[in-house]
Amino acid sequence: MLALKKPLGIDVIDINPIELYNETQNDESLKEKLNQFGQIFSGLEGLKQFVVPYYNSNSNKIHTFRDAIFYNELVQVQVFFEFIKDIQIDSSSSPNLNNIFQNKTNQRLNKIRNAIAHFDWKLNEGKIIFKDKNFERKEDYSEISEFCSLLSIIGIFMTNNINKID
C-alpha cells in the first residue's frame, strides 16, 4: 500500500519482495552489506513505530521535536543515499535491486539529501522546507515519513523471506 502512494514520487511498485530477497541473498559480493542495510532500516523503523503514538498525540508541539525528527526520520534518507551511492548493480541479474538503487541519480532526492546533510531544513506548519544551492522544496512531513517507512520496508524485504515472516 505504501508503494502505491509513491512517496516523494519514488516508484518501486514493481518490486517483488520474494525476488528482492533472493537477489540480495544470491549476490555474494554484496550479501553482507545488503543484510546490514536491512537490519539498520528494520531497527530505524521499529524505533519510529515506537514513538509515533507520542508524536500523534503531541502534533501541535512537533516543532519542539526537530532533533527527534532528524534522528527518527531524516537520518533514514541520509543513510539510504550514503549506502547506495557506490553500489553497482547488474540490472539484468538484479532488476529489483536496480529499481531501488537507480534512485541515487534522482536530482530532487539528492538535493533533499544535501539539505539534510547540511542541516539546512526547517519545519513550518506540518511541512519540511529543504534548501540546497538554488533549491528549495516544501514537503509534507507525512510524505517524508512515508518515504522513510518505504525505505525501511525495502530493507526488511532485502533481509527477510516474507514467506517466513509471522
Side-chain angles (χ1 to χ4, degrees):
M1 290 182 348
L2 193 54
L4 286 172
K5 288 185 173 185
K6 299 180 186 175
L8 297 179
I10 301 304
D11 186 358
V12 292
I13 196 147
D14 292 333
I15 292 177
N16 179 313
I18 295 169
E19 290 175 14
L20 177 62
Y21 174 76
N22 290 335
E23 289 174 16
T24 301
Q25 301 309 305
N26 292 331
D27 190 333
E28 289 301 322
S29 65
L30 291 174
K31 181 178 178 178
E32 185 176 327
K33 190 171 186 172
L34 294 173
N35 282 330
Q36 184 179 18
F37 172 80
Q39 291 167 355
I40 288 168
F41 274 84
S42 178
L44 288 170
E45 185 63 19
L47 177 62
K48 185 168 101 174
Q49 294 303 317
F50 181 74
V51 298
V52 161
Y54 181 79
Y55 286 165
N56 286 339
S57 65
N58 292 282
S59 61
N60 61 327
K61 303 175 193 170
I62 200 74
H63 64 279
T64 63
F65 302 123
R66 186 174 195 264
D67 291 338
I69 289 169
F70 173 75
Y71 290 111
N72 285 305
E73 301 278 359
L74 300 182
V75 76
Q76 290 177 278
V77 176
Q78 196 66 27
V79 169
F80 174 71
F81 277 96
E82 289 303 313
F83 177 80
I84 68 171
K85 72 179 184 182
D86 295 326
I87 293 181
Q88 300 298 320
I89 299 293
D90 178 7
S91 62
S92 62
S93 64
S94 299
N96 291 283
L97 285 169
N98 184 61
N99 188 351
I100 296 164
F101 292 163
Q102 72 182 356
N103 286 301
K104 65 184 164 187
T105 59
N106 182 312
Q107 185 177 10
R108 180 173 47 112
L109 287 178
N110 199 28
K111 293 287 191 179
I112 290 173
R113 182 201 59 81
N114 287 343
I116 294 167
H118 299 124
F119 229 83
D120 198 3
W121 58 274
K122 65 181 178 178
L123 291 170
N124 187 3
E125 298 178 7
K127 294 194 180 288
I128 301 178
I129 302 168
F130 297 98
K131 294 182 178 185
D132 195 31
K133 298 174 188 166
N134 300 319
F135 174 86
E136 181 174 304
R137 183 157 188 108
K138 291 181 185 180
E139 297 288 351
D140 287 332
Y141 170 74
S142 61
E143 189 159 355
I144 297 295
S145 183
E146 288 174 347
F147 176 68
C148 294
S149 292
L150 181 61
L151 293 177
S152 295
I153 290 167
I154 288 169
I156 291 166
F157 287 163
M158 292 169 84
T159 56
N160 294 278
N161 183 338
I162 65 166
N163 291 325
K164 296 182 180 179
I165 295 176
D166 292 331

